[in-house]
Amino acid sequence: MDFNINHLLKIASELNITIKQIEATATLLDEGATVPFISRYRKEATGSLDEVQIAAIRDRLEQLRELDKRRDSILKSIKDQDKLTPELEEQIMAAETMAVLEDIYLPYKPKRRTKATIAREKGLEPLAQRLFEQENFDVEGEAANFISEEKEVKDTVEALAGARDIMAEWMNENAEARASMRQLFEKKGVFKSRVMMGKEEEGQKFKDYFEWEEPIEKAPSHRILAMRRGETEMVLMLSAQPEEEEALDRLENMFVKGNNAASEQVKLAAKDCYKRLLKMSMETEVRLSSKKRADEEAIKVFADNLRQLLLSSPLGQKTVLALDPGFRTGVKTVVLDKQGKLLHNETIYPHTGQHKEQEAAQTVRYMVTRFEVEAIAIGNGTASRETEAFVKSLKLPASVMVVMVNESGASIYSASDVAREEFPDQDVTVRGAVSIGRRLMDPLAELVKIDPKSIGVGQYQHDVDQSALKHTLDDVVMSCVNAVGVEVNTASKQLLTYVSGLGPALAQNIVEYRNQNGPFKTRTELKKVARLGDKAFEQAAGFLRIRDAKNPLDASAVHPESYPIVEQMAKDLGVTVQDLMQKDELRKQINLKNYVTEAVGLPTLQDIVSELAKPGRDPRETFEAFSFTEGVNEIKDLREGMKLPGIVTNITAFGAFVDIGVHQDGLVHVSHLSDRFVSNPHDVVKVGQKVEVTVLEVDANRKRISLSMKGDPAAPKPARDGGNRDRTNKASGKKEEEPMDDFQAKLAKLKGMFK
């Protein structure tokens, strides 16, 4: 494989990984290998790099290749203009970022007709050049030489103005000046947010930003995105600039060399350059760069939340009664078998009168008995707590657990093409109830059917770069699906889509083959699926499971390419492969060094033995039932100081949202997540975690609930840390304290090295 050696050296230096590892990883990626496959089955080649490192190499290679494409395009453009010099080419080749590259190209970039263009057409460039040199001469007298009726320069005022337009453009196109000004905007720029006149009532949700300012460099993701949304909704006016005086001083120091009449003209040109050209250009850049940073942080938070949600504990294969609660419209009720197949559905009305409640009670008891229901899943939307209380009042067998299930996105699924394809004869209410039940059984298998943005664990997910968001979330879903593994004979097309090496077309072909020929009996049978060739089989086989297959390894994560190794291990001990998988004392007798080859090293052999011990092991935690506090069903039931159980539903940079069963999540601010200082909420809690919280404050009118997870909510806040900063809300005059933006997570660190 032909690689740019400079790219490999640069990435090796940035990530502190050997060039051999970078080259091996890049080769595998270019050959079409996926990140999960490389991480799991090519450890010898990469030196056991993990998914985060492999994804970082992939993304950085893509960045550098895009930079090279732009570099080639710029070189061609300047060469076509016959303006490419060896020095300029050297500058272009040395540029390490897109911003520097574009700064170098700016003077040569085809542009629309500008004030400077018009001045040049009037023959004023020689005057501009003379002034720019700032020698001591008669400026007015020199300018008089350029008065021309033919070229429409009627006096010295007009001649000097045109010369200043040209000088202003030179300054604006000076790469050094742009780099200096960019640095000033990034390091000393300030976001200033003001409410637009007459929008005070309409924009109450942006009240915190009606009169707000803070340094661009320190502004956290959620506030940048909130201010930008307020601006988009025409509630806020937002600027992002440093102090004008400091910017002008910096520009003048670069270009004003003397103290004479010519220098005065250069000074005026510098002022015009900043106000008319540079300020707007640099503000646009800094707004884009801060938005990119905010997007990256918001996407990272979303990705972390999504991973935790997808890897939530599954109940497993149980017969489930699922309820989608409602008051007037009734409670949609479905029964699902152990594989999630719909067995029965009907609507009950436990909340519309005594007679209907008795009917509903009889119906539920009958369904629980008839279908031997093992668990009841209740959606956590409208009427959920009332429905939970109704079910618990029925005195069902103690073995039937009752579980509240987060139904975010269930309505999106129920109206989707996927749901219509699965249940063409059922209405959206039945499909929604099915989704709630299946989420309890296997969150991962069900949630992959829904656009991740609709699952309810993001922060400003509709405001961030949608392409970057999709790229990251697809990575997360693929990582989770392949980490858990997929039972090929029961998996949906949507779940199979995320298996390494497959995608939508092959996933559909697998389902069609399964429907026509019955369940797969061996992994090798996958090669009979239309268009599933050797490459796709290599990528996918290790992540696909076949329960009760003739070869027990087909139900494990051992890759088919390694079956001969396991068979040799068993043969050397005089036992069967099944014996090796069942008996720990046999596995302990294996000397791994005896099976090391040029292609297979100890990392792969250790993975094989671990997999033999727990074939097809699900990495997710064991399911634990959870119940909210009885009698606390609405915000009006809350009192300060109450201690309540809850479930973390969403995590943001500023804290965690917790469902305490009152139809409105409460917020545990980052300062109340722990008795110790916390810089990253994900270090303390995860989505789906069961926690105990204390109610600090309730604002029923604004539907805001403040909670604490600290041992003693009355205790003082954690000691001030170097990572904290004070900010003052100009509207309220109150000081707030919030941790610095989190760059501690491994992927964020790696991506930070690229900047």
Side-chain angles (χ1 to χ4, degrees), residues 208-220:
D208 290 346
Y209 304 101
F210 280 4
E211 191 178 346
W212 178 270
E213 61 183 68
E214 68 179 310
I216 293 171
E217 187 180 31
K218 296 181 178 179

Side-chain angles (χ1 to χ4, degrees), residues 563-583:
Y563 285 8
I565 299 172
V566 180
E567 289 161 1
Q568 188 62 49
M569 289 175 174
K571 183 179 178 182
D572 291 347
L573 292 174
V575 298
T576 66
V577 170
Q578 188 74 51
D579 291 334
L580 268 186
M581 298 174 79
Q582 292 176 343
K583 299 177 181 179

Side-chain angles (χ1 to χ4, degrees), residues 76-125:
K76 183 179 183 304
S77 174
I78 299 176
K79 192 179 291 182
D80 289 346
Q81 299 173 45
D82 289 328
K83 294 180 180 178
L84 187 63
T85 65
E87 294 77 20
L88 181 56
E89 184 172 7
E90 188 178 333
Q91 270 187 291
I92 292 170
M93 295 305 295
E96 293 192 356
T97 67
M98 201 68 83
V100 171
L101 200 53
E102 295 297 343
D103 283 351
I104 296 170
Y105 180 48
L106 189 58
Y108 308 94
K109 190 175 184 178
K111 55 176 76 74
R112 60 181 175 77
R113 202 158 175 258
T114 65
K115 280 189 168 187
T117 308
I118 296 168
R120 287 191 184 94
E121 291 170 356
K122 293 180 177 182
L124 296 172
E125 191 159 19

Side-chain angles (χ1 to χ4, degrees), residues 232-249:
T232 300
E233 294 184 14
M234 301 185 73
V235 172
L236 302 176
M237 294 179 290
L238 181 64
S239 65
Q241 302 169 10
E243 289 296 326
E244 186 172 288
E245 187 176 338
E246 186 171 356
L248 288 172
D249 284 347

Side-chain angles (χ1 to χ4, degrees), residues 35 72 120 135 144 154 229 240 293 323 375 411 439 441 485 488 496 502 542 583 590 611 636 729 731:
V35 172
D72 290 343
R120 287 191 184 94
E135 293 176 355
K154 59 178 181 254
R229 182 185 286 181
R293 170 170 61 84
L323 310 178
S411 59
R439 285 185 191 200
M441 298 168 74
V488 71
L496 287 166
L502 295 185
K583 299 177 181 179
I590 299 171
E611 189 61 26
K636 67 181 182 181
N729 185 323

Side-chain angles (χ1 to χ4, degrees), residues 589-662:
Q589 294 177 39
I590 299 171
N591 185 349
L592 295 184
K593 292 180 181 178
N594 293 339
Y595 304 96
V596 172
T597 67
E598 285 187 12
V600 179
L602 284 175
T604 293
L605 294 171
Q606 288 164 348
D607 282 349
I608 289 171
V609 173
S610 295
E611 189 61 26
L612 293 177
K614 295 181 179 179
R617 180 180 64 88
D618 192 324
R620 294 173 289 184
E621 293 178 2
T622 304
F623 182 84
E624 292 180 9
F626 171 86
S627 295
F628 292 114
T629 299
E630 291 188 18
V632 180
N633 302 330
E634 301 178 55
I635 287 185
K636 67 181 182 181
D637 298 327
L638 297 176
R639 299 290 181 271
E640 289 183 15
M642 271 186 172
K643 290 189 180 297
L644 302 167
I647 296 178
V648 178
T649 58
N650 196 4
I651 301 172
T652 69
F654 51 84
F657 288 92
V658 178
D659 182 0
I660 51 176
V662 296

